[in-house]
Structure formats: structure tokens, C-alpha cells
Amino acid sequence: MKSVFVAVGTVLAPLAAAHSIFQQAGSGSIDFGTSCTRMPPNNSPVTSVNSADLACNVGGSRGVAGLCEVKGTFMFPMPSPTASGDSFFVEMHAQPNDRSCANEAIGGNHFGPVIVYMAKVSDAKTADGASASWFKVDEFGYDAGSKTWGTDTLNKNCGKRTFKIPSKIPAGDYLVRAEAIALHTAGSSGGAQFYMSCYQVRVANSGGGQVPAGVKLPGAYSASDPGILINIWGDFGAYKIPGPAVIDQSYF
């Protein structure tokens, strides 16, 4: 449980300004910027779990020219392919192109989980995320011992969430979907705020294996899920992260 007491008059303005966008991506020392990001038109959240925008945000069904690739000679925006097993980071900030670590990645008491999915697609530049099959590769919900939310970890790491590309998945094109769910007004149905962006990624040097079983987005979430309809300002007990479990460690 996390309890924060604020005066109403002092919190309204920060809440209105605290919306955010997953923007940049990178791997190791390579920073791709937004070259492979399907950037939303603004930093407003999606609030309906049944909207097609839940997949890759507003306008996210349309691809961009770039692919996030890591190994080999870097020739922007088409470096050589990302290797399975590599670390990969996604990066959130409140305003477009503002990567200042002095500013919170997502503020205004927008506490909640951070989740990363992947989906195997035939062409990452044209695939529609609402038709894809998504498997979860990373998540951070709420650590009761330290009273830390996933969004707190973004703020502590200059907006970055780093995860590992599974090493036992087929090579080829994927969409990576990064999501933060703000729960500060989630005590009533429709109050949760979903912030997500999709990245176009090409995975190479795979160790083989099968694509993990996935879920549909929209489809995997319900407005009444305990991790979506929740009053985080009271005693909510153990927090249950929405969606499926992270894929089995044997894929990594």
C-alpha cells in the first residue's frame, strides 16, 4: 500500500501535466532514439480496455520507416539485426524529445505497473498490433516491502526499462509493446490510464524455438481486473499485474 496525502488545489495541475509517452529505445551502448517507434500524437492515455488503440496507442496501427537493430555496423536507421538474448531498453518521458533526467518520466502520482510485450509479425513496418499475438517478456508491478511501483523504477532510471530479448524465439520481425498503467484514479471503472508505444524490431542470431503462446490486445484485459479496477490509496493487499504471466524462463 502506498499512501500519499495532498491538498486538492495543489495536485490538479501536476496531474494534468503528468501524462507521458514511451519514446526512445536502445540496446547496450546503442541509442536508437525514436527511429523505430510508432509515436503517439500526444501524451494522453488510452482509457478503454476494449479500444483498438490499446495495442499500440492512437495511430499506432501505422508503421514507420525504421527498425531497431543492434549488431554489426551501425548505419542509421538500418543497423544490422538485434540478436536474441540481447538487452533492450524502452524509455518514457513526459514530453516529446525531452530526455532530461531532472524531470520525472511519469509524475503526478501516476503510480502503477510497467509491462513489456512482444509479438512475432511478418513485417514490423506494416503489422497491426491489434491483430497480433502478444507474449509478455517483462513486468514490474508493486513491491510492498519497498513500496515501489513499476513507474517509480522508470523515474529512478531516467525513464528506462531494460529487459532481455528471449534467446529461444525464432529470428525475424517483432513488435515490442511497452506499457505503463497509471492507477491514481483507478478506483472507479474506466479510471485506469494506459500509456503504451510499439517499437519495430528485427531479431537475428536466434537460438531457434517456438513463438510463445500469446494474447490479444485488446482482449487480454477487462475493466474489472483486480490490477485495473483498484483503489491504490487504501489497503489493497497484494497487487496483481494485468495480463498473462511472463513467458517461461526457458525462452530466455
Side-chain angles (χ1 to χ4, degrees):
M1 178 184 72
K2 187 164 203 164
S3 297
V4 177
F5 297 94
V6 289
V8 172
T10 62
V11 74
L12 291 180
L15 288 179
H19 297 173
S20 293
I21 311 171
F22 276 106
Q23 303 179 49
Q24 295 82 12
S27 181
S29 62
I30 299 175
D31 190 330
F32 297 111
T34 60
S35 63
C36 70
T37 313
R38 298 185 179 187
M39 285 286 291
N42 54 55
N43 65 359
S44 294
V46 174
T47 57
S48 172
V49 296
N50 299 313
S51 170
D53 294 335
L54 190 70
C56 292
N57 214 320
V58 175
S61 62
R62 297 184 298 274
V64 296
L67 288 170
C68 279
E69 306 175 337
V70 178
K71 295 285 187 180
T73 303
F74 186 93
M75 297 182 64
F76 179 83
M78 293 289 290
S80 59
T82 300
S84 58
D86 282 355
S87 65
F88 195 85
F89 71 79
V90 292
E91 187 174 333
M92 170 176 266
H93 295 284
Q95 301 299 329
N97 301 312
D98 177 11
R99 303 180 77 176
S100 172
C101 299
N103 300 324
E104 286 188 314
I106 180 167
N109 298 328
H110 282 45
F111 303 117
V114 175
I115 306 169
V116 182
Y117 292 88
M118 293 180 66
K120 181 74 177 71
V121 295
S122 58
D123 185 344
K125 296 181 181 181
T126 61
D128 183 354
S131 302
S133 178
W134 296 95
F135 55 92
K136 189 184 287 186
V137 295
D138 184 58
E139 64 182 12
F140 190 110
Y142 180 69
D143 181 80
S146 61
K147 297 184 178 179
T148 299
W149 284 101
T151 50
D152 291 324
T153 70
L154 295 180
N155 290 329
K156 291 176 182 177
N157 291 285
C158 198
K160 292 183 176 67
R161 179 71 188 177
T162 302
F163 64 97
K164 186 177 179 182
I165 300 289
S167 62
K168 302 294 178 62
I169 57 174
D173 283 14
Y174 288 80
L175 293 179
V176 171
R177 177 183 180 274
E179 174 183 42
I181 307 176
L183 302 172
H184 57 297
T185 58
S188 59
S189 184
Q193 298 180 354
F194 301 84
Y195 298 89
M196 78 295 293
S197 293
C198 288
Y199 302 83
Q200 300 172 173
V201 176
R202 181 162 292 163
V203 173
N205 304 330
S206 170
Q210 301 294 316
V211 178
V215 297
K216 295 295 185 182
L217 292 165
Y221 297 168
S222 168
S224 60
D225 286 345
I228 293 175
L229 180 60
I230 180 174
N231 176 14
I232 65 170
W233 308 112
D235 185 1
F236 55 84
Y239 178 72
K240 181 174 174 55
I241 302 172
V246 172
I247 58 173
D248 191 82
Q249 286 300 304
S250 63
Y251 283 103
F252 294 92

